[in-house]
Amino acid sequence: MKITGYRTVRTHRDWRRPVGDVNGFIASGITEVAVVILETDAGIEGIGIGSDHDVAQLFPAIEGRDPRAVVSLYDALLSHSFKAGHGGATFGGIGILDSALWDLKAKAAGEPLWRLLGAADRFVPGYASGLDIALGDDELVAFYATMADRGFAAGKLKGGRDAGADIRRLLLIRDALSANTPRPALMLDANESWHLKQAVRYVSEVEVAVDLTWIEEPLRRWDAEGHRRLSSQVRTSVATGENLTGLEQFRPLLDQGAVDIVQTGAVWGITHFLRVAAAAHFRDLPTSPVGLTSNPAVAHAAAAAPNHLSAEVQDLGAPFGVTVDQEYADGGIVLGDQAGAGIQIDETLIRDANPQGNWREEAGPHVRPARAGLAMTAQDGLPASARAFPYTSHDD
């Protein structure tokens, strides 16, 4: 079997709510979704979902090769971008091709990917995450109540600007999820918006009222020393790593004991997750993939990781024109029996109707604000257009 070509499809996800974090949000709730389909001379096709950045430049590294040699091809993709570097957006192109390769390999074997990867169980524990910075309190409760109906007993709040508001909203999430457990797991995600002492003060204040399971991305992703110091000064676990684009970027965090929950971005692909999970497992650390909505195939890898803790579930739907063989139940993802990653694409449907959306629009969460990490009060340093998210009007 040989790889003969590829094609790309652009579809969208309608989140049916504003989505974002402390850095910004997408008011329309419409975001783009890239799909890459690898073609072979055997007629089997592999589907990857994520980011198609630099795929045209990366594809020659795997063209004409046997797609079943996934690990070798992953290293070939890294080597192909050696001089320019594989970090940043290019790593997304590597990730989507890697995911399509794993889908191909499992389809060729006639097995669901979770079984091919060695998982004994198709169930993947998860937690609810509403990308909820722009939701009012009533909308927040409604989202987590819906997730509670699917058995979820853990939830993550997007916050980091106003400790009082975050405490109130974390307690609302706790109440919504209490249908499934008397003590839901609660996490807070600051999306790299603090400096060290700000993080210590903020987390310490929240911990007085809320038993946090972890604080996520409290500092800039590369600040190993800062994360180590923070972890030693607060009670909650420190979680980070989703925006690190390459196994080597985890070395300072792991060597300095700076991370308690090792995260990876699902958008970066399956092999990246497996390698980071193995590195974490060597240090007796749990791992947790972030954003399975951006690449549902990583759930199959999570099922096979012995140190997998919980995976982020942000939405119960699928992108337009995409079906995924999985269900959300019992507080996690129940993977199906279709060969491969269980992803199917209706290309005709997508071509006929494709609303546009962009995570990187100026108001969105992927554009870092100019004064991020420099605020002294909840509203300090923000442009006038961003000084109040909707939830600030729901004070007790």
Side-chain angles (χ1 to χ4, degrees), residues 288-302:
S288 175
V290 173
L292 290 185
T293 47
S294 65
N295 185 2
V298 171
H300 292 255

PDB file of all heavy atoms in Angstrom, residues 288-302:
ATOM      1  N   SER A 288      -3.436  14.281  30.331  1.00  0.00           N
ATOM      2  CA  SER A 288      -4.806  14.667  29.994  1.00  0.00           C
ATOM      3  C   SER A 288      -4.805  15.432  28.666  1.00  0.00           C
ATOM      4  O   SER A 288      -4.221  16.506  28.574  1.00  0.00           O
ATOM      5  CB  SER A 288      -5.388  15.559  31.099  1.00  0.00           C
ATOM      6  OG  SER A 288      -6.674  16.040  30.749  1.00  0.00           O
ATOM      7  N   PRO A 289      -5.441  14.894  27.613  1.00  0.00           N
ATOM      8  CA  PRO A 289      -5.523  15.620  26.345  1.00  0.00           C
ATOM      9  C   PRO A 289      -6.568  16.732  26.403  1.00  0.00           C
ATOM     10  O   PRO A 289      -7.632  16.558  26.994  1.00  0.00           O
ATOM     11  CB  PRO A 289      -5.908  14.544  25.332  1.00  0.00           C
ATOM     12  CG  PRO A 289      -6.651  13.525  26.144  1.00  0.00           C
ATOM     13  CD  PRO A 289      -6.056  13.561  27.527  1.00  0.00           C
ATOM     14  N   VAL A 290      -6.252  17.849  25.794  1.00  0.00           N
ATOM     15  CA  VAL A 290      -7.114  19.028  25.794  1.00  0.00           C
ATOM     16  C   VAL A 290      -7.781  19.174  24.423  1.00  0.00           C
ATOM     17  O   VAL A 290      -7.119  19.070  23.392  1.00  0.00           O
ATOM     18  CB  VAL A 290      -6.299  20.293  26.117  1.00  0.00           C
ATOM     19  CG1 VAL A 290      -7.153  21.547  25.961  1.00  0.00           C
ATOM     20  CG2 VAL A 290      -5.723  20.196  27.520  1.00  0.00           C
ATOM     21  N   GLY A 291      -9.082  19.409  24.423  1.00  0.00           N
ATOM     22  CA  GLY A 291      -9.784  19.765  23.195  1.00  0.00           C
ATOM     23  C   GLY A 291     -10.001  18.615  22.229  1.00  0.00           C
ATOM     24  O   GLY A 291      -9.624  18.706  21.060  1.00  0.00           O
ATOM     25  N   LEU A 292     -10.633  17.527  22.693  1.00  0.00           N
ATOM     26  CA  LEU A 292     -10.910  16.419  21.782  1.00  0.00           C
ATOM     27  C   LEU A 292     -11.839  16.828  20.649  1.00  0.00           C
ATOM     28  O   LEU A 292     -11.894  16.149  19.621  1.00  0.00           O
ATOM     29  CB  LEU A 292     -11.528  15.246  22.546  1.00  0.00           C
ATOM     30  CG  LEU A 292     -10.606  14.497  23.511  1.00  0.00           C
ATOM     31  CD1 LEU A 292     -11.324  13.293  24.091  1.00  0.00           C
ATOM     32  CD2 LEU A 292      -9.315  14.076  22.854  1.00  0.00           C
ATOM     33  N   THR A 293     -12.570  17.910  20.808  1.00  0.00           N
ATOM     34  CA  THR A 293     -13.414  18.394  19.715  1.00  0.00           C
ATOM     35  C   THR A 293     -12.579  18.783  18.501  1.00  0.00           C
ATOM     36  O   THR A 293     -13.063  18.745  17.375  1.00  0.00           O
ATOM     37  CB  THR A 293     -14.246  19.611  20.170  1.00  0.00           C
ATOM     38  OG1 THR A 293     -13.393  20.528  20.843  1.00  0.00           O
ATOM     39  CG2 THR A 293     -15.359  19.194  21.096  1.00  0.00           C
ATOM     40  N   SER A 294     -11.314  19.167  18.711  1.00  0.00           N
ATOM     41  CA  SER A 294     -10.459  19.545  17.586  1.00  0.00           C
ATOM     42  C   SER A 294      -9.859  18.343  16.889  1.00  0.00           C
ATOM     43  O   SER A 294      -9.396  18.454  15.748  1.00  0.00           O
ATOM     44  CB  SER A 294      -9.324  20.461  18.066  1.00  0.00           C
ATOM     45  OG  SER A 294      -8.451  19.761  18.943  1.00  0.00           O
ATOM     46  N   ASN A 295      -9.851  17.196  17.549  1.00  0.00           N
ATOM     47  CA  ASN A 295      -9.318  15.972  16.949  1.00  0.00           C
ATOM     48  C   ASN A 295      -9.814  14.772  17.746  1.00  0.00           C
ATOM     49  O   ASN A 295      -9.127  14.287  18.652  1.00  0.00           O
ATOM     50  CB  ASN A 295      -7.786  15.994  16.932  1.00  0.00           C
ATOM     51  CG  ASN A 295      -7.203  14.784  16.208  1.00  0.00           C
ATOM     52  OD1 ASN A 295      -7.926  13.937  15.681  1.00  0.00           O
ATOM     53  ND2 ASN A 295      -5.882  14.698  16.181  1.00  0.00           N
ATOM     54  N   PRO A 296     -11.014  14.262  17.428  1.00  0.00           N
ATOM     55  CA  PRO A 296     -11.602  13.177  18.225  1.00  0.00           C
ATOM     56  C   PRO A 296     -10.806  11.886  18.181  1.00  0.00           C
ATOM     57  O   PRO A 296     -10.978  11.028  19.052  1.00  0.00           O
ATOM     58  CB  PRO A 296     -12.993  13.000  17.610  1.00  0.00           C
ATOM     59  CG  PRO A 296     -12.910  13.612  16.244  1.00  0.00           C
ATOM     60  CD  PRO A 296     -11.919  14.719  16.355  1.00  0.00           C
ATOM     61  N   ALA A 297      -9.910  11.717  17.207  1.00  0.00           N
ATOM     62  CA  ALA A 297      -9.123  10.489  17.110  1.00  0.00           C
ATOM     63  C   ALA A 297      -8.216  10.297  18.316  1.00  0.00           C
ATOM     64  O   ALA A 297      -7.868   9.163  18.667  1.00  0.00           O
ATOM     65  CB  ALA A 297      -8.294  10.498  15.833  1.00  0.00           C
ATOM     66  N   VAL A 298      -7.824  11.384  18.971  1.00  0.00           N
ATOM     67  CA  VAL A 298      -6.928  11.273  20.121  1.00  0.00           C
ATOM     68  C   VAL A 298      -7.608  10.536  21.280  1.00  0.00           C
ATOM     69  O   VAL A 298      -6.934   9.965  22.145  1.00  0.00           O
ATOM     70  CB  VAL A 298      -6.415  12.664  20.544  1.00  0.00           C
ATOM     71  CG1 VAL A 298      -5.662  12.628  21.863  1.00  0.00           C
ATOM     72  CG2 VAL A 298      -5.499  13.222  19.456  1.00  0.00           C
ATOM     73  N   ALA A 299      -8.928  10.500  21.312  1.00  0.00           N
ATOM     74  CA  ALA A 299      -9.617   9.730  22.344  1.00  0.00           C
ATOM     75  C   ALA A 299      -9.211   8.266  22.287  1.00  0.00           C
ATOM     76  O   ALA A 299      -9.116   7.582  23.321  1.00  0.00           O
ATOM     77  CB  ALA A 299     -11.131   9.872  22.187  1.00  0.00           C
ATOM     78  N   HIS A 300      -8.960   7.747  21.092  1.00  0.00           N
ATOM     79  CA  HIS A 300      -8.528   6.352  20.948  1.00  0.00           C
ATOM     80  C   HIS A 300      -7.161   6.145  21.593  1.00  0.00           C
ATOM     81  O   HIS A 300      -6.913   5.114  22.226  1.00  0.00           O
ATOM     82  CB  HIS A 300      -8.473   5.977  19.468  1.00  0.00           C
ATOM     83  CG  HIS A 300      -9.807   5.914  18.806  1.00  0.00           C
ATOM     84  ND1 HIS A 300     -10.436   4.742  18.480  1.00  0.00           N
ATOM     85  CD2 HIS A 300     -10.651   6.914  18.395  1.00  0.00           C
ATOM     86  CE1 HIS A 300     -11.604   4.994  17.903  1.00  0.00           C
ATOM     87  NE2 HIS A 300     -11.753   6.308  17.841  1.00  0.00           N
ATOM     88  N   ALA A 301      -6.279   7.126  21.429  1.00  0.00           N
ATOM     89  CA  ALA A 301      -4.960   7.036  22.052  1.00  0.00           C
ATOM     90  C   ALA A 301      -5.068   7.154  23.564  1.00  0.00           C
ATOM     91  O   ALA A 301      -4.348   6.477  24.308  1.00  0.00           O
ATOM     92  CB  ALA A 301      -4.050   8.119  21.487  1.00  0.00           C
ATOM     93  N   ALA A 302      -5.976   8.010  24.040  1.00  0.00           N
ATOM     94  CA  ALA A 302      -6.165   8.163  25.480  1.00  0.00           C
ATOM     95  C   ALA A 302      -6.623   6.847  26.104  1.00  0.00           C
ATOM     96  O   ALA A 302      -6.218   6.499  27.222  1.00  0.00           O
ATOM     97  CB  ALA A 302      -7.176   9.272  25.764  1.00  0.00           C
TER      98      ALA A 302
END
